[in-house]
């Protein structure tokens, strides 16, 4: 049963992050995921200093607000002439450094450290349980399940708006779609996805799952629906394959899942290169 919960957690991370990651890749905003996955530590630290606890809704809210704050500050700097990558670098490093200093000064004797946030420990998921609606399951399963449902609902309700504002924001604005609102709604989606996953699997796997499966599916997809389908498939494959390889090698489960994300991308990328070369050779031979 322990193995089941660990694998299920990885699968939920893969599905939830892949769904959010598709528009993240298409909007060319992949690095904002890296920034948010690190700056949520700022929200956690502030939440702890206010409530003196690392459990409950307060930590979740604090981390989510920190993610939205990151998105707002990056957008504010962009609107004032700062390049996006520079804005992300400034906000990301500043908030993360402040978090480390606050931990060192005010929470040095508390189980709150940078390594826990970055790497997580998915193997401990089965022992941190929560009872809701009469069902007892690991807390990570509840959080990821809720995040997955919210992501699916947002996509169903705002799919046209997300699609138009991603591919043609000028046209979307001309027909009355609130571009700024859609941007922050999407950033909220990324923040909630990150917060729901990082406590159990760490920021590194969250970043890998947000970007890797979507980027891999982008190489072979011919439509947006295909991209979602392939991204989810790659996320699930990375989670399951990463678990069993980590078990075989007796190493970090979350780390190996992230490695599998990269491995799948490399395999598909090489396959695409080989296929293009084959097509090129075929065309030349018929000339």
């Amino acid at each position: 049963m322990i193995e089941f919960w660990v694998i299920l957690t990885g699968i939920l991370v893969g599905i939830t992050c892949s769904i959010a990651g598709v528009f993240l890749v298409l909007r060319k905003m992949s690095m904002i995921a890296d920034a948010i996955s690190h700056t949520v530590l700022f929200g956690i630290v502030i939440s702890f200093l206010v409530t003196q606890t690392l459990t409950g809704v307060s930590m979740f809210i604090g981390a989510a607000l920190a993610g939205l704050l990151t998105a707002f500050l990056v957008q504010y700097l962009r609107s004032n002439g700062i390049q996006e990558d520079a804005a992300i670098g400034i906000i990301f490093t500043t908030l993360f450094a402040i978090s480390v200093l606050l931990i060192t000064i005010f929470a040095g004797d508390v189980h709150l450290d940078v390594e826990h946030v970055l790497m997580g420990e998915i193997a401990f998921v089965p022992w941190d349980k929560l009872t809701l609606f009469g069902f007892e399951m690991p807390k990570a399963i509840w959080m990821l399940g809720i995040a997955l449902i919210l992501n699916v609902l947002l996509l169903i309700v705002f799919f046209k708006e997300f699609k138009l504002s991603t591919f043609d924001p000028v046209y979307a604005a001309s027909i009355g779609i609130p571009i700024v609102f859609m941007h922050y709604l999407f950033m909220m989606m990324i923040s909630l996805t990150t917060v729901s996953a990082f406590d159990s699997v760490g920021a590194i796997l969250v970043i890998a799952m947000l970007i890797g499966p979507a980027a891999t599916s982008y190489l072979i997809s011919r439509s947006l629906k295909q991209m979602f389908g392939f991204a989810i498939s790659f996320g699930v494959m990375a989670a399951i394959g990463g678990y069993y390889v980590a078990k075989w090698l007796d190493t970090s489960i979350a780390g190996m899942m992230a490695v599998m994300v990269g491995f799948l991308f490399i395999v598909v990328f090489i396959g695409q290169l080989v296929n293009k070369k084959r097509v090129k050779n075929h065309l030349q031979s018929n000339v």
Side-chain angles (χ1 to χ4, degrees), residues 143-163:
M143 294 180 67
L144 288 165
I146 292 172
L148 176 59
I149 292 172
L150 289 175
N151 283 356
V152 171
L153 288 177
L154 284 174
L155 281 179
I156 291 174
V157 175
F158 296 104
F159 183 78
K160 182 183 75 173
E161 288 80 0
F162 279 133
K163 183 177 179 179

Side-chain angles (χ1 to χ4, degrees), residues 9 27 38 71 77 91 108 121 128 161 168 173 184 191 208 234 263:
T9 300
R27 288 170 176 247
H38 285 75
L77 291 180
I91 301 303
E121 186 45 76
D128 187 10
E161 288 80 0
D168 196 343
Y184 285 111
S191 298
F234 286 131
F263 174 76

Side-chain angles (χ1 to χ4, degrees), residues 35 70 73-78 82-93:
T70 302
L73 292 176
V74 169
Q75 183 65 24
Y76 178 78
L77 291 180
R78 280 186 61 196
I82 306 298
Q83 293 182 352
E84 184 178 27
D85 56 349
I88 291 173
I90 292 169
I91 301 303
F92 156 38
T93 54

Side-chain angles (χ1 to χ4, degrees), residues 204-219:
I204 301 301
L205 182 57
V206 173
I207 299 168
M209 286 294 193
L210 276 171
I211 301 172
T216 307
S217 67
Y218 182 78
L219 296 174

